[in-house]
Amino acid sequence: MSAINRVLVPVKRVVDYAVKIRVVGGKVETANVKHSMNPFDLIAVEEAVRLKEAKKAKEVWAVSVGPSKSQEILRTALAMGADQALHIEVPENAEVQPLQVAKLLKAVVEKEKPELVILGKQAIDDDSNQTGQMLAGLLNWPQGTFASKVEIAGDAKSIQVTREVDTGLETVSAPLPAIVTADLRLNEPRYATLPNIMKAKKKPLTKVTPADLGVDVTPTLQTVEVTEPPKRVGGGKVESVDELISKLKSAGVL
């Protein structure tokens, strides 16, 4: 049975999913707020490590674009089983948008030559759901998005991806190299054990800048306004169907 040489897994540092988001001064408050790896990226790391454990891949690399604190989530990926990590460092308050991230990842792919890139379908901070598709377009690689199952062929020359779509499940096959974006039901990520956390500190973590990769990360989009959603208003009870219809008509629903 053949195996692909390298799987690349992009990961992002985001505000932890359990934190209640606050908008202060027209921006999401991130100071003194717990951050962690984007949950969908955790799933992507787990899938890549499982492929390595199944002898379908020889090596797993994690890469992250972000400030110095992004090294924390790279160490998490290493503790989960990734072999090496690459940190593309940007200033603390820099906004790197999906297109610029895709261009950075394209530069990494062209240099490191992975046969498969697995990333979360979206980040929970901006919910863009764009980076994987943009990367596939820039590289002219086939893509399997919203993956709930990933299988590499025995000859390591193609991949089969089961996708979650509105009408159910869709299975697609594509030649490698390819891009896969992970959906929620692809797997259940493992917890990093203390021994593996200690081992991760000794694994190689390389740091570069966007300039080293020849990519301009100047934002091309401008965020006009960020506001919190309106507070929900409590419901009410009606005594009859006629009263319900009347209220729906007065609300402009009917």
Side-chain angles (χ1 to χ4, degrees):
M1 181 177 66
S2 301
I4 61 176
N5 288 320
R6 182 171 297 155
V7 181
L8 184 71
V9 186
V11 296
K12 185 178 183 181
R13 179 177 180 266
V14 299
V15 174
D16 189 83
Y17 71 92
V19 172
K20 179 176 173 57
I21 299 298
R22 295 174 60 244
V23 177
V24 178
K27 295 182 178 180
V28 174
E29 179 62 53
T30 58
N32 302 314
V33 172
K34 181 183 177 183
H35 286 66
S36 59
M37 190 189 299
N38 177 49
F40 291 105
D41 296 340
L42 273 171
I43 295 170
V45 173
E46 174 66 26
E47 191 64 20
V49 172
R50 290 188 186 189
L51 289 174
K52 187 180 75 168
E53 292 173 342
K55 309 299 183 184
K56 296 293 184 69
K58 297 177 182 178
E59 188 178 39
V60 175
W61 277 45
V63 57
S64 185
V65 181
S68 58
K69 292 180 180 178
S70 295
Q71 292 190 20
E72 299 169 3
I73 63 165
L74 286 172
R75 292 295 180 192
T76 298
L78 292 170
M80 291 175 66
D83 300 288
Q84 295 195 48
L86 176 65
H87 178 208
I88 305 172
E89 187 171 17
V90 297
E92 182 67 34
N93 296 318
E95 180 186 7
V96 187
Q97 296 173 347
L99 178 58
Q100 284 69 42
V101 173
K103 289 180 178 179
L104 289 167
L105 294 176
K106 175 178 181 285
V108 173
V109 167
E110 290 175 341
K111 181 180 179 182
E112 304 300 341
K113 308 296 184 185
E115 290 95 331
L116 179 63
V117 180
I118 307 178
L119 63 164
K121 69 172 184 177
Q122 65 193 75
I124 63 171
D125 54 358
D126 58 17
D127 280 330
S128 291
N129 181 23
Q130 294 175 338
T131 303
Q133 292 89 330
M134 287 179 170
L135 178 59
L138 291 171
L139 290 169
N140 196 27
W141 283 12
Q143 58 183 301
T145 55
F146 313 118
S148 61
K149 186 177 181 181
V150 175
E151 295 179 300
I152 295 178
D155 60 3
K157 292 183 179 180
S158 64
I159 188 170
Q160 185 169 289
V161 178
T162 301
R163 306 178 60 238
E164 296 194 3
V165 296
D166 291 341
T167 55
L169 298 177
E170 176 185 75
T171 301
V172 296
S173 180
L176 292 171
I179 308 292
V180 171
T181 68
D183 212 332
L184 188 64
R185 280 163 287 278
L186 180 57
N187 60 54
E188 182 71 29
R190 71 192 68 190
Y191 289 98
T193 62
L194 182 57
N196 286 335
I197 292 173
M198 301 305 293
K199 291 177 183 177
K201 295 180 179 180
K202 298 180 180 179
K203 291 183 178 181
L205 193 159
T206 306
K207 184 168 65 176
V208 299
T209 66
D212 295 332
L213 298 172
V215 177
D216 180 8
V217 294
T218 303
T220 52
L221 299 174
Q222 178 184 358
T223 301
V224 177
E225 185 180 16
V226 178
T227 59
E228 292 189 14
K231 294 184 178 180
R232 297 182 65 179
V233 179
K237 293 183 178 180
V238 294
E239 299 297 330
S240 66
V241 173
D242 291 337
E243 185 181 354
L244 172 61
I245 293 174
S246 175
K247 284 185 175 292
L248 290 175
K249 285 181 177 179
S250 62
V253 178
L254 293 179

